[in-house]
Amino acid sequence: MIIRVFFLLFFTLTLFACGGGSGSGGGSSEKNTEDTSFVINDIDYPDVCKQQELPEPLPSSEFEIENLHAVYFSEEDENPNSWLAEGTNGSDPSILRTYITEFDIEDTRLDILRSEFEGVPAEKLNVKWQGDINVTSDSAVIYADFDLSHADLSFSIDGEVVQRMKDCNPTVPLILGKGIHHFEVDYHSHYFSATLDLNFSSERPMPLSSLSSYVTENFSGNEKILYIKVYESDTEYADVQVNLPSGAGDLIVILDSYRGIDWTINEADGTNLVAVFYSSYYNTARVTAPAEAVAIEGLWSQGEPIGDFVHTNFGRTLDYYYYQYNAEQISISLTTDIPDPETLYGEPVLVLDNIQNAQWQVSYAKSISDGQEVAQYFELEYGAILTEIAWTGVSLWEPSMYFPTISNQDFTINIYNGVLVPDELVFTTDITVSPSKYFSLEQGTVYNLESPLETQLDPGSYWLSIQNKRNSDQAVSFVILENDGVNNGGAVRGSSTASWGTTEEGVLPAYASGISVNIKGYVTD
């Protein structure tokens, strides 16, 4: 197995809308001076969000982040249109910064703030972070990934501004020689709730286009797959604990988040964590786990269903799935954290689309148990899980002011295989439906009917019949024959022992008018 080593240093400043609070650290706030040392001239900087071309990683880029320090200021830069989240970028000489406090940062993550800090609203905060990048190899290619919103920022190396940002998230490439290089981040918040992440790394995340081959080369194919999706952390320091389930055997974990999260994976008896693949929208996540951890790009923005993603890149079905918008601690269950069909296959689709539009004149035919049966033809190019059936039917009973609604109706749903006519019965179920009036006919009433439907079908040719269990005027015992010109196929027989014929004289069943019906489901392959 190929082992990849990542040196990730993670800085996070999050301004939450909920509650008050103050920063940690032992700094003093006795000074109350106006600081003008950062004034440049408040102007519009062109192309501040332009992504620079990224150099290739070096075989070895060794570095440490040292001497971290944070200084906090307030600045009166509130925009009259505050909902625009606009403000100074730090270069307007008429906007002076008032010192609040400062302190050293011992961890590689910067302090978390809430909606105010030391009595200063979040939108008026200005934070200057500084530290040293100590390159111990002969040279280093380092990538600085930012997650910035509702704010202006300038990023400097050795006293020179290398990137300005406004509400954007570029990756800043740094090519540094051996030795100590000083960096500064000058951050100006313009919103009551904002997030800034900064992550230094010596490698880029693996492209999704390379994932399938990497998995094939490095794993047996027998591992179970657990996919965890979280928008952001619900903790002060953006960390999330993941407790693996016991008895899962060999397990691959996929961690997918929008905001950068500091993930910690905790072991469990009977579970062998083989590898962790992780991703955040702006490449600012990191992982502590007792196994190889591989960063991959762009999971959050990839459009295909999660189940399809796993099947395409890992060659198997997703086994376990967990989703939470914001998380602090996650404990996975082997029995309840099972992916539903939408997670596996995406949004449901119309597997059969043959509903008749409302018309004053409709054709309909009786379809009842122990009597005439009418069937609708449909084809499945791919396998499908059927989840819902909806159709229109007719009752000869006329609602009145004393009896305005019709009673619930019991039906039998049959599915047969077959190409020319229905052949072998492959599925049958009984359902109870509450009809909903659609419109009135000259004689009778048209009703909409729908019900859940639970079955899975392989690719092939099928016929569907709907039979009311009652044969009376109060029963919705007639199915409407679709005559909008689709003509997907319709067959009819007088009883369960009779031969199948066509719903239209002189037309083969496969081309005749079928039932007005829709079926929803999930395409499985």
Side-chain angles (χ1 to χ4, degrees):
M1 177 180 294
I2 298 174
I3 302 295
R4 296 190 173 199
V5 178
F6 292 85
F7 194 133
L8 300 180
L9 291 166
F10 194 71
F11 300 76
T12 302
L13 171 68
T14 304
L15 307 173
F16 293 101
C18 54
S22 60
S24 62
S28 169
S29 59
E30 294 178 359
K31 288 194 289 184
N32 188 23
T33 60
E34 293 180 338
D35 183 283
T36 61
S37 61
F38 310 130
V39 169
I40 306 170
N41 287 320
D42 203 354
I43 59 176
D44 291 331
Y45 296 103
D47 299 326
V48 295
C49 293
K50 185 176 181 180
Q51 176 61 62
Q52 302 178 44
E53 184 176 350
L54 300 181
E56 291 295 321
L58 294 177
S60 177
S61 291
E62 302 294 334
F63 65 93
E64 300 282 347
I65 302 298
E66 303 171 341
N67 304 320
L68 299 170
H69 191 73
V71 187
Y72 293 86
F73 301 89
S74 66
E75 53 188 1
E76 295 296 328
D77 67 337
E78 187 173 356
N79 190 290
N81 297 319
S82 58
W83 59 274
L84 294 174
E86 299 264 335
T88 184
N89 56 24
S91 60
D92 186 339
S94 68
I95 299 177
L96 301 181
R97 304 198 261 201
T98 302
Y99 175 88
I100 303 174
T101 188
E102 61 184 284
F103 45 84
D104 291 336
I105 305 296
E106 295 183 359
D107 194 359
T108 54
R109 184 189 304 278
L110 290 175
D111 191 32
I112 297 296
L113 304 179
R114 295 188 182 273
S115 58
E116 65 173 13
F117 177 78
E118 300 285 347
V120 177
E123 61 268 24
K124 295 184 178 182
L125 274 172
N126 165 225
V127 185
K128 180 183 178 182
W129 301 331
Q130 55 191 345
D132 295 324
I133 305 174
N134 186 1
V135 177
T136 56
S137 53
D138 291 338
S139 61
V141 171
I142 300 172
Y143 308 97
D145 288 293
F146 289 83
D147 180 358
L148 177 71
S149 62
H150 306 308
D152 278 274
L153 180 146
S154 64
F155 179 47
S156 302
I157 299 291
D158 294 331
E160 179 182 352
V161 176
V162 295
Q163 182 80 47
R164 295 187 185 278
M165 307 172 203
K166 180 178 178 61
D167 303 334
C168 57
N169 307 277
T171 297
V172 181
L174 305 174
I175 302 177
L176 304 177
K178 187 173 184 177
I180 295 177
H181 302 269
H182 187 71
F183 76 88
E184 293 184 359
V185 173
D186 192 15
Y187 171 79
H188 301 263
S189 174
H190 305 318
Y191 202 53
F192 70 90
S193 176
T195 298
L196 171 64
D197 287 345
L198 168 58
N199 177 54
F200 291 102
S201 64
S202 59
E203 291 193 21
R204 300 312 297 147
M206 179 187 296
L208 290 182
S209 58
S210 303
L211 181 57
S212 178
S213 59
Y214 179 83
V215 169
T216 300
E217 294 170 4
N218 291 281
F219 304 104
S220 68
N222 297 318
E223 302 87 357
K224 299 288 187 180
I225 305 294
L226 163 64
Y227 197 114
I228 299 175
K229 190 179 184 75
V230 173
Y231 183 85
E232 62 186 359
S233 170
D234 197 29
T235 66
E236 282 196 319
Y237 295 97
D239 57 312
V240 173
Q241 298 281 330
V242 177
N243 300 316
L244 296 179
S246 300
D250 292 341
L251 186 67
I252 292 175
V253 176
I254 304 170
L255 303 172
D256 182 5
S257 65
Y258 183 81
R259 298 294 184 192
I261 289 177
D262 184 1
W263 300 93
T264 299
I265 311 297
N266 300 314
E267 296 180 275
D269 293 338
T271 296
N272 174 37
L273 182 61
V274 176
V276 178
F277 293 88
Y278 66 98
S279 175
S280 62
Y281 195 77
Y282 298 113
N283 303 319
T284 56
R286 69 176 179 181
V287 173
T288 300
E292 175 189 18
V294 179
I296 54 179
E297 68 177 15
L299 277 186
W300 193 272
S301 58
Q302 64 93 20
E304 63 182 329
I306 290 172
D308 286 352
F309 166 81
V310 171
H311 189 270
T312 298
N313 292 283
F314 291 83
R316 67 208 81 169
T317 301
L318 177 62
D319 298 285
Y320 310 108
Y321 175 72
Y322 183 95
Y323 170 79
Q324 191 170 341
Y325 182 85
N326 47 20
E328 178 176 353
Q329 182 163 296
I330 296 171
S331 296
I332 302 300
S333 167
L334 297 183
T335 56
T336 60
D337 293 323
I338 305 299
D340 58 21
E342 190 163 326
T343 299
L344 289 173
Y345 309 115
E347 295 288 334
V349 298
L350 283 174
V351 176
L352 170 60
D353 184 8
N354 206 46
I355 282 287
Q356 165 74 57
N357 293 327
Q359 297 180 1
W360 289 113
Q361 292 186 338
V362 296
S363 300
Y364 48 89
K366 182 168 287 190
S367 188
I368 56 173
S369 300
D370 300 325
Q372 180 171 277
E373 182 177 8
V374 182
Q376 161 72 49
Y377 178 76
F378 67 102
E379 292 182 353
L380 293 179
E381 184 178 353
Y382 304 98
I385 296 175
L386 308 188
T387 60
E388 183 179 324
I389 183 171
W391 74 98
T392 51
V394 174
S395 171
L396 300 182
W397 178 75
E398 291 285 351
S400 67
M401 61 181 297
Y402 300 106
F403 301 99
T405 59
I406 198 169
S407 62
N408 288 349
Q409 307 279 299
D410 296 320
F411 294 89
T412 296
I413 306 294
N414 293 320
I415 297 179
Y416 304 87
N417 60 19
V419 178
L420 300 178
V421 293
D423 188 6
E424 179 184 359
L425 182 67
V426 297
F427 171 77
T428 184
T429 186
D430 293 331
I431 60 175
T432 299
V433 180
S434 178
S436 173
K437 183 178 177 180
Y438 189 14
F439 61 93
S440 297
L441 299 172
E442 189 172 311
Q443 180 182 5
T445 305
V446 177
Y447 290 91
N448 287 322
L449 306 103
E450 60 181 38
S451 171
L453 186 66
E454 298 181 9
T455 189
Q456 185 165 354
L457 298 176
D458 294 328
S461 300
Y462 297 95
W463 295 81
L464 168 83
S465 75
I466 304 168
Q467 293 177 288
N468 198 309
K469 290 191 171 185
R470 288 193 295 160
N471 182 19
S472 68
D473 288 346
Q474 289 76 31
V476 185
S477 55
F478 295 85
V479 292
I480 291 181
L481 298 179
E482 179 278 324
N483 61 1
D484 282 339
V486 178
N487 294 342
N488 285 326
V492 62
R493 63 178 177 178
S495 68
S496 60
T497 59
S499 299
W500 289 94
T502 180
T503 57
E504 291 186 68
E505 187 176 354
V507 180
L508 293 174
Y511 303 99
S513 295
I515 299 172
S516 172
V517 61
N518 280 350
I519 298 178
K520 284 186 178 180
Y522 298 94
V523 175
T524 59
D525 53 30

